Amino acid sequence: MSTEDQIEDINALEQKFQARIDAEQKIEPKDWMPDAYRKNLIRQISQHAHSEVIGMQPEGNWITRAPSLRRKAVLLAKVQDEAGHGLYLYSATETLGISRAELIAALQDGSAKYASIFNYPTQTWGDVGAIGWLVDGAAICNQVSLQRTSYGPYARGMIRICKEESFHQRQGYQIMIELAHGTPEQKQMAQDSLNRFYWPSLMMFGPHDSESAHSARSMQWKIKRETNDDLRQKFIDQTVPQIEYLGLEHPDKDLKWNEERGHYDSGEIDWEEFQNVINGNGHCNRQRIQHHVKAHEEGAWVRDAQNAYDQKRRARKASTAA
């Protein structure tokens, strides 16, 4: 077959593939897909998985210091949920032909990214509330639409993840309510946490669509269903009444309702800070990865034991069948 014929065949396959996407049909692991679609999915889903796993660290730091036994149990359950989310997402990524070991190696050598928000330290108990309310709230804005993403394993995994993230958001907001309606010192703690986590939460949606390297293609393939800017606007609009209910001051002093648009106009994000954090120069970038590497190495014996057990089980099954 000539090169021209091969190109025509690929073009025909890509047209059929896009027609399936446009018809809202799910793409499954054994279906044909363009290499660029596969790579885009691996990047997005693995980044999502890494974020869930790294995101355990700033909250896990407060499990032993939670102010009550009930708070400890709830936070422990939440961190456990995040581990489960990472497992679902790594498993979904593996259906695209990449191994878990490759995914983790990319995270640890810095070639794969995770959500920039998790490179900020949790300095007080109020930060745990702010993460649940703002960070998981921002995640929900993005992830609800991902239940309709074009790749089947990713879409199905997001159904359970969204349900659990909704619990996390309510848990965080409940902490903020108690602090904001508590003593003056507690209210100040809530305000301080809001001030520090509000802007980084807006950065979670990524750069403006005009500056995003992947947004247009992801929208065409319906990997993403809403743009970065639309999702960020939705989050801003829903957060305003929540801040008002808490009786706290909004961190964005340029915030203003736009009657014509039907949305809030907001101040500009510090994109230089965003770039610094995602490029490894945030407050906790090195600490987060070092902790992950240490935990991964210390857990090697568990993986070795599981692999040995699986090999013995397969050998036993083979001998019984023979």
Side-chain angles (χ1 to χ4, degrees), residues 25-310:
Q25 296 179 16
K26 288 286 184 277
I27 306 301
E28 300 298 340
K30 292 185 179 180
D31 294 339
W32 184 89
M33 63 186 74
D35 286 342
Y37 177 84
R38 185 186 304 275
K39 290 177 181 177
N40 202 330
L41 276 172
I42 290 173
R43 178 196 59 79
Q44 180 171 323
I45 306 176
S46 65
Q47 179 175 310
H48 193 167
H50 298 328
S51 299
E52 298 284 357
V53 172
I54 295 295
M56 297 165 64
Q57 292 187 40
E59 293 180 300
N61 182 44
W62 277 90
I63 290 175
T64 59
R65 295 181 287 164
S68 70
L69 182 59
R70 176 178 175 275
R71 292 293 187 192
K72 188 189 299 289
V74 172
L75 183 57
L76 185 61
K78 183 190 176 185
V79 173
Q80 186 177 29
D81 282 349
E82 307 295 3
H85 298 174
L87 175 62
Y88 310 151
L89 293 164
Y90 280 133
S91 297
T93 315
E94 287 178 299
T95 65
L96 292 160
I98 188 169
S99 70
R100 186 82 55 92
E102 290 175 289
L103 295 172
I104 292 174
L107 169 65
Q108 294 182 351
D109 68 20
S111 56
K113 304 296 185 183
Y114 57 88
S116 59
I117 189 75
F118 299 119
N119 289 314
Y120 291 84
T122 44
Q123 300 175 19
T124 69
W125 176 249
D127 293 358
V128 176
I131 287 176
W133 166 37
L134 297 173
V135 177
D136 292 323
I140 291 168
C141 280
N142 182 41
Q143 293 171 7
V144 165
S145 64
L146 290 177
Q147 294 175 104
R148 297 183 292 112
T149 190
S150 61
Y151 189 57
Y154 193 20
R156 291 187 289 272
M158 290 311 306
I159 294 172
R160 178 167 179 171
I161 290 174
C162 283
K163 290 178 180 178
E164 293 178 349
E165 292 289 6
S166 295
F167 155 74
H168 299 166
Q169 195 269 348
R170 290 194 297 273
Q171 173 254 353
Y173 194 59
Q174 202 269 336
I175 291 175
M176 296 298 285
I177 289 173
E178 290 205 5
L179 291 175
H181 296 164
T183 66
E185 292 79 10
Q186 288 174 321
K187 184 173 183 178
Q188 181 54 45
M189 179 187 290
Q191 183 69 62
D192 176 63
S193 296
L194 169 60
N195 292 344
R196 286 185 287 106
F197 277 91
Y198 178 78
W199 291 104
S201 295
L202 296 187
M203 297 177 194
M204 286 178 63
F205 296 100
H208 290 305
D209 299 315
S210 59
E211 300 167 7
S212 174
H214 307 285
S215 190
R217 205 70 188 273
S218 293
M219 292 291 291
Q220 176 191 342
W221 283 326
K222 298 186 179 180
I223 294 173
K224 288 180 62 174
R225 304 302 299 243
E226 296 182 75
T227 68
N228 294 350
D229 289 329
D230 286 346
L231 290 167
R232 185 164 25 243
Q233 184 68 66
K234 183 185 295 185
F235 176 74
I236 291 169
D237 290 347
Q238 75 178 29
T239 305
V240 171
Q242 294 170 349
I243 294 175
E244 290 177 351
Y245 180 78
L246 292 173
L248 301 177
E249 294 183 16
H250 202 292
D252 185 354
K253 304 310 177 187
D254 295 323
L255 188 79
K256 182 171 56 179
W257 177 253
N258 186 319
E259 191 67 40
E260 184 177 346
R261 292 200 312 122
H263 296 287
Y264 283 94
D265 292 334
S266 58
E268 188 62 20
I269 293 169
D270 185 346
W271 292 112
E272 183 177 351
E273 177 183 338
F274 172 74
Q275 291 297 333
N276 281 334
V277 175
I278 65 172
N279 288 326
N281 297 315
H283 296 284
C284 300
N285 288 68
R286 284 173 286 279
Q287 175 186 334
R288 298 292 186 239
I289 294 300
Q290 287 170 1
H291 184 90
H292 188 279
V293 170
K294 181 174 181 290
H296 187 69
E297 291 175 348
E298 290 178 350
W301 69 272
V302 179
R303 297 190 296 277
D304 292 342
Q306 181 64 51
N307 290 335
Y309 173 76
D310 288 343

